[in-house]
Amino acid sequence: MMTQSVEELAKLLYPEDVYNEAAALTLGELKVLQHLRMELEERVRPILIKCYEKAQLPRQEILTAFRNARIMDHPSLFEGRDEKWRVREIYNAFLYLEMARFDPSVATFFTVHGGLGYNTILIGANKAQRERYGTAIREFTAQTCFGLTEPDHGSDIAGGLATTAEKIGEEWILNGEKRWIGGAKTADFIPIFARDTETKKIKCFIVPGDAPGLSVEDIQHKIGLRLVNNGHITLKDVKVLDADRLEHINGYGDVAKIFIHTRTDVAHIAMGTAAGAFNAALKLTMTREQFGRKLAGFQLVQEKLARMQANVVAAISYSTRVANLQEKGIHEMKKSSLAKMHNALVMRETVALAREVCGGNGITYETEVARFFTDAEAIYTYEGTHEINAMIVARELTGIGAFV
């Protein structure tokens, strides 16, 4: 049996990638992605609709799929690299494409763990903390998330963060609330951002999920990303040792470094969500017949399919370009915000077109389009709303900050 080439495997896995950006992946990276697809199909697909309807996270099945495929620590991801902790950015882009085209909730669950949480450790931790927490994250022996957003402070969190941290001896006492924290209820440890009562600077602390004084209540009645349990965290006199403070986070500027990475990740999720909706719509229109012919044979449907394909190609191009720049060490908020803004916009149009060409079948989970359609609304908003990302880009264009 002949071994598939990179080009052959890339085309097999991602036919919607018309400009063949996936050919920049190594064969080892593609095989990890292929293994992940097999794991998700085997473990998660059979229970996906049931879990979505009940808003239940199939945590163990997802983590097992991630762990078995070794999506963060497989040796082939680091061949020829001195870097131990970070995979290649182009692989990261297609990792999110792979997850989100399967299910956006799965990709979102991963990004609060392997994106927001992991980047918090990589950017904020000292060497010992990185070894302890970073290793657990990448091997999926523990689950983490990201405790920044608050009930009254989302987009204005830089100046409005209200959770406090008071140092008493060798301990910090944390008080406050966090909201919309994905995966909070099941997390083994949570990076919690709080304002130092003495210096007024934002700091970050690693808080065990079962810490005394910490409670998590799941947010109910969501219309999208229903697999992801978003939590409302309450912290009441939670004690954290100074050794569990991430010493390299000492202000919002350090938090912004995390967002440069994770905003790009969400641009990738938007890309994958658009691809998933497009593929689901293409599948249905190629099989369902009306008026004696397949839906895909009607001119109006073909125009919409072509537009969806163009949107997906544009999103892939944005994602791979910003990934290549970040791989070269170019990390700029303008570039990640532009990618998230653009990809979320074309995603929103694509899921609407996908639902449209599927007719009434587009509102049922069985055709898959419905999940992408509802999940897109959450992706459009989180990790910076469209307006916030637009203002970040426009601030660079004009030199005028329009946030206040």
Side-chain angles (χ1 to χ4, degrees), residues 61-113:
E61 289 83 356
I62 292 173
L63 290 178
T64 299
F66 291 168
R67 189 183 303 117
N68 287 353
R70 299 189 66 179
I71 60 174
M72 294 183 74
D73 70 338
H74 196 285
S76 67
L77 303 178
F78 300 91
E79 290 177 353
R81 291 170 62 79
D82 294 331
E83 173 63 63
K84 170 185 176 182
W85 294 98
R86 287 192 183 279
V87 296
R88 288 205 307 154
E89 295 294 339
I90 187 69
Y91 164 78
N92 188 58
F94 278 91
L95 176 61
Y96 279 109
L97 173 59
E98 184 63 47
M99 289 182 186
R101 76 201 289 275
F102 174 81
D103 182 77
S105 289
V106 171
T108 298
F109 176 68
F110 175 74
T111 201
V112 297
H113 172 88

Side-chain angles (χ1 to χ4, degrees), residues 278 281-288 290-291 293-309 353-354 356-359:
F278 165 61
L282 181 62
K283 179 180 178 181
L284 184 137
T285 57
M286 288 290 291
T287 56
R288 180 169 171 76
Q290 292 287 282
F291 302 102
R293 63 193 302 182
K294 289 183 172 58
L295 287 177
F298 290 92
Q299 291 180 357
L300 289 176
V301 173
Q302 288 198 350
E303 189 277 338
K304 292 178 174 63
L305 289 171
R307 205 183 333 162
M308 285 186 269
Q309 172 69 93
L353 289 170
E356 184 176 326
V357 298
C358 292

Side-chain angles (χ1 to χ4, degrees), residues 254-321:
D254 297 319
V255 181
K257 295 175 185 176
I258 301 169
F259 282 150
I260 292 175
H261 288 279
T262 56
R263 194 156 284 167
T264 301
D265 291 345
V266 179
H268 302 332
I269 293 175
M271 163 187 64
T273 300
F278 165 61
N279 285 321
L282 181 62
K283 179 180 178 181
L284 184 137
T285 57
M286 288 290 291
T287 56
R288 180 169 171 76
E289 292 189 3
Q290 292 287 282
F291 302 102
R293 63 193 302 182
K294 289 183 172 58
L295 287 177
F298 290 92
Q299 291 180 357
L300 289 176
V301 173
Q302 288 198 350
E303 189 277 338
K304 292 178 174 63
L305 289 171
R307 205 183 333 162
M308 285 186 269
Q309 172 69 93
N311 284 346
V312 171
V313 168
I316 292 173
S317 297
Y318 262 81
S319 277
T320 54
R321 180 55 181 158

